[in-house]
């Protein structure tokens, strides 16, 4: 039986790409509620499904290491693998072939596959975007972000498959991250094509639109505990296929953000927050700022937004006004900046704020001290450093990672 690989067992099974932790931290990016398909299968090793393949990722200070499980891990050479409902036939080994020619052909095939998979990984993590430069710009515009960013570096925005992203976020209504993960996993096991099995864990592709739109889906998902969300999932898939076609969602990447958001809101179960999540995390709308109760609390607590005068519930006007507030503050990548603060406020990551090096202030005679961070010299007021070292905000320590529509 195939097993989850670990880097300590030898680097020969792994491929790598250069990437500093300041540009990407897997532990934060994959566990902060963007995607619900990644699990930590060994310390510092994350296994999940992306692009119809099963991957394990890990990293060292300046390198991301990745292993992609091939079909032969389960089905043997010549097996079939699926991606988004379509079959991809692996190359069958010829029975008789001159050994030198066969070896050369296999090497060429491996080289093409390696290049393709590295390209997929770079696209998924959007590694063409220089995150350090964005952090610098956000920190210059926002002192609160600057304090948080010194701890929560490397939080990137994923570029997910639009179908997986949208239908996963339909499941988030009145829900929390761990429960959403379970629902998405059951959805894939029930309706997605099997990919492989590792250490007794079966991995499945995300269901196709056709699978989701089937008339039997609502009853199936209700039996699996989806409740009212079952109807939204089936009806949204059916509406997309009947009204727009298979390529419609991906086509929204090329239209302006307001148009894409309003188009998504025509689907059953898709409100403004879910539409903004899909826009930001799969449709290339970096300016989209999803607003839920969690983000609203951050705005009120840390930015004194609408103090004492705000609405008691999240309205369309609040979505628009608060989104505009953050877009004005952070610029065209406002959605990326918001994800850093969202991540920093999750209960699971609060221990990072208690790191020993943050508890002990440096003793300096001057009220300002100079320090180097990521090789760049910046000035930080001593009193601000003190605030980072003692994050005792009551609401943050008691906050649940709540996702609501």
């Amino acid at each position: 039986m195939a097993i989850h690989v670990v880097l300590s067992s030898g680097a020969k099974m792994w491929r790598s790409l250069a990437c500093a932790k300041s540009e990407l931290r897997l532990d934060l990016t994959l566990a902060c509620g963007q995607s619900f398909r990644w699990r930590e299968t060994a310390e510092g090793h994350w296994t999940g499904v992306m692009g119809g393949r099963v991957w394990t990722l890990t990293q060292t200070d300046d390198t991301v290491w990745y292993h992609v499980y091939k079909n032969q891990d389960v089905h043997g050479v010549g097996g079939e693998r699926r991606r988004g409902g379509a079959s991809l036939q692996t190359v069958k080994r010829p029975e008789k072939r001159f050994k030198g020619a066969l070896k050369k052909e296999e090497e060429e095939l491996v080289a093409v596959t390696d290049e393709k998979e590295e390209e997929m990984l770079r696209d998924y993590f959007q590694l063409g975007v220089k995150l350090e430069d964005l952090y610098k710009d956000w920190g210059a515009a926002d002192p609160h972000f600057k304090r948080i960013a010194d701890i929560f570096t490397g939080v990137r925005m994923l570029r997910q498959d639009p179908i997986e992203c949208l239908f996963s976020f339909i499941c988030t209504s009145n829900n929390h991250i761990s429960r959403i993960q379970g629902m998405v996993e059951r959805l894939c096991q029930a309706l997605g094509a099997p990919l492989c099995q590792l250490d007794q864990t079966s991995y499945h592709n995300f269901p196709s639109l056709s699978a989701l739109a089937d008339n039997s889906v609502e009853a199936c998902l209700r039996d699996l505990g989806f409740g009212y969300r079952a109807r939204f999932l089936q009806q949204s898939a059916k509406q997309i296929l009947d009204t727009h076609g298979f390529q419609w969602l991906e086509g929204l990447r090329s239209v302006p953000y307001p148009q894409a958001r309003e188009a998504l809101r025509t689907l059953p179960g898709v409100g403004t927050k879910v539409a903004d999540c899909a826009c930001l995390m799969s449709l290339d709308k970096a300016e989209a700022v999803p607003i839920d109760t969690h983000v609203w609390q951050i705005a009120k607590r840390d930015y004194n937004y609408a103090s004492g005068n705000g609405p008691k519930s999240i309205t369309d006007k609040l979505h628009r006004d608060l989104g505009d507030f953050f877009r004005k503050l952070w610029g065209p990548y406002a959605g990326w900046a918001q994800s850093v603060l969202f991540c920093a406020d999750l209960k699971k990551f609060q221990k990072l704020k208690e790191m020993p090096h943050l508890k002990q202030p440096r003793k300096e005679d001057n009220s300002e001290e100079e320090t180097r961070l990521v090789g760049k010299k910046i000035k930080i007021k001593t009193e601000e450093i003190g605030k980072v070292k003692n994050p005792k905000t009551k609401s943050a320590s008691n906050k649940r990672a709540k996702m609501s529509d």
Side-chain angles (χ1 to χ4, degrees):
M1 178 181 292
I3 62 173
H4 293 94
V5 299
V6 292
L7 188 60
S8 60
S9 63
K12 289 184 178 180
M13 294 185 294
W14 296 79
R15 297 195 293 281
S16 65
L17 58 87
C19 183
K21 284 189 175 181
S22 57
E23 286 292 330
L24 169 64
R25 276 188 58 176
L26 295 174
D27 58 334
L28 299 180
T29 302
L30 296 179
C32 70
Q34 293 188 56
S35 171
F36 305 101
R37 306 221 56 201
W38 295 91
R39 302 289 187 279
E40 191 173 20
T41 48
E43 185 176 0
H45 292 65
W46 296 84
T47 302
V49 178
M50 184 266 289
R53 295 161 167 81
V54 181
W55 307 64
T56 292
L57 312 176
T58 190
Q59 68 185 140
T60 49
D61 286 342
D62 57 2
T63 305
V64 170
W65 300 84
Y66 61 100
H67 177 87
V68 185
Y69 300 89
K70 305 298 184 183
N71 281 11
Q72 52 263 40
D73 288 349
V74 178
H75 303 296
V77 175
E80 181 184 277
R81 66 183 170 197
R82 294 183 178 273
R83 179 182 181 187
S87 299
L88 297 178
Q89 297 290 339
T90 54
V91 176
K92 292 185 177 181
R93 186 186 301 274
E95 293 182 2
K96 295 182 179 180
R97 181 72 64 87
F98 178 65
K99 288 185 178 180
L102 176 59
K103 182 178 180 181
K104 182 178 180 181
E105 180 180 297
E106 289 179 337
E107 288 175 348
E108 290 174 350
L109 178 61
V110 167
V112 170
T113 302
D114 288 355
E115 182 179 348
K116 174 66 175 177
E117 289 170 347
E118 179 176 331
E119 180 183 323
M120 290 174 64
L121 197 63
R122 288 185 178 278
D123 180 74
Y124 185 69
F125 287 110
Q126 304 195 72
L127 294 180
V129 177
K130 292 294 293 180
L131 193 61
E132 282 190 72
D133 292 344
L134 290 177
Y135 267 60
K136 182 179 178 181
D137 292 341
W138 297 328
D142 179 359
H144 174 69
F145 183 93
K146 187 175 184 179
R147 293 191 293 270
I148 293 297
D150 289 344
I151 308 169
F152 291 88
T153 60
V155 180
R156 297 192 75 85
M157 188 54 55
L158 302 177
R159 189 176 192 251
Q160 301 177 59
D161 173 78
I163 296 172
E164 177 174 336
C165 185
L166 175 65
F167 285 87
S168 293
F169 274 96
I170 290 176
C171 297
T172 65
S173 175
N174 298 314
N175 223 338
H176 55 81
I177 290 176
S178 60
R179 187 162 180 259
I180 298 163
Q181 287 177 325
M183 293 177 73
V184 172
E185 192 59 37
R186 293 194 298 276
L187 178 68
C188 295
Q189 289 176 358
L191 302 175
L195 296 174
C196 70
Q197 183 171 330
L198 306 170
D199 292 322
Q200 307 296 329
T201 300
S202 296
Y203 291 90
H204 293 70
N205 205 5
F206 198 85
S208 66
L209 280 175
S210 297
L212 289 165
D214 190 89
N215 290 332
S216 65
V217 164
E218 180 179 350
C220 171
L221 295 183
R222 284 189 181 275
D223 289 343
L224 293 174
F226 281 68
Y228 63 89
R229 304 172 191 87
R231 178 168 55 88
F232 291 152
L233 290 164
Q234 190 272 334
Q235 288 186 348
S236 287
K238 189 174 188 306
Q239 182 171 316
I240 290 172
L241 290 179
D242 290 348
T243 307
H244 305 291
F246 282 99
Q247 301 300 318
W248 178 70
L249 275 176
E250 190 164 338
L252 293 179
R253 286 176 167 170
S254 62
V255 306
Y257 160 54
Q259 183 180 336
R261 180 178 60 182
E262 293 311 306
L264 292 174
R265 290 184 63 190
T266 65
L267 300 173
V270 180
T272 304
K273 193 271 291 190
V274 170
D276 274 337
C277 287
C279 283
L280 175 64
M281 302 173 194
S282 68
L283 298 180
D284 303 335
K285 316 306 181 195
E287 71 270 38
V289 180
I291 306 297
D292 61 3
T293 54
H294 198 101
V295 175
W296 189 22
Q297 291 300 318
I298 292 173
K300 291 191 292 186
R301 184 193 67 218
D302 299 327
Y303 294 89
N304 200 32
Y305 183 83
S307 180
N309 300 315
K312 297 185 181 298
S313 62
I314 299 178
T315 63
D316 283 345
K317 185 177 186 303
L318 180 64
H319 271 282
R320 181 177 61 254
D321 292 347
L322 188 50
D324 288 343
F325 170 80
F326 283 128
R327 280 184 282 273
K328 182 177 179 181
L329 178 63
W330 294 323
Y333 279 80
W336 288 51
Q338 177 261 357
S339 71
V340 178
L341 298 190
F342 183 92
C343 177
D345 217 48
L346 292 175
K347 185 177 180 180
K348 67 172 77 176
F349 295 133
Q350 294 311 298
K351 289 184 179 180
L352 292 178
K353 298 177 181 178
E354 302 170 2
M355 297 291 285
H357 71 280
L358 296 172
K359 289 183 176 181
Q360 299 297 328
R362 297 177 183 175
K363 295 181 180 180
E364 298 285 350
D365 293 331
N366 300 326
S367 61
E368 288 192 341
E369 65 188 32
E370 291 188 355
T371 184
R372 286 188 178 273
L373 295 177
V374 200
K376 295 182 180 180
K377 194 172 185 181
I378 64 175
K379 290 185 177 181
I380 304 175
K381 292 184 180 180
T382 303
E383 61 183 10
E384 289 181 347
I385 295 176
K387 290 179 183 177
V388 177
K389 294 160 187 167
N390 297 285
K392 295 182 179 179
T393 305
K394 183 177 179 181
S395 60
S397 63
N398 296 325
K399 187 158 315 266
R400 294 179 62 196
K402 195 77 173 176
M403 309 278 289
S404 60
D405 194 9

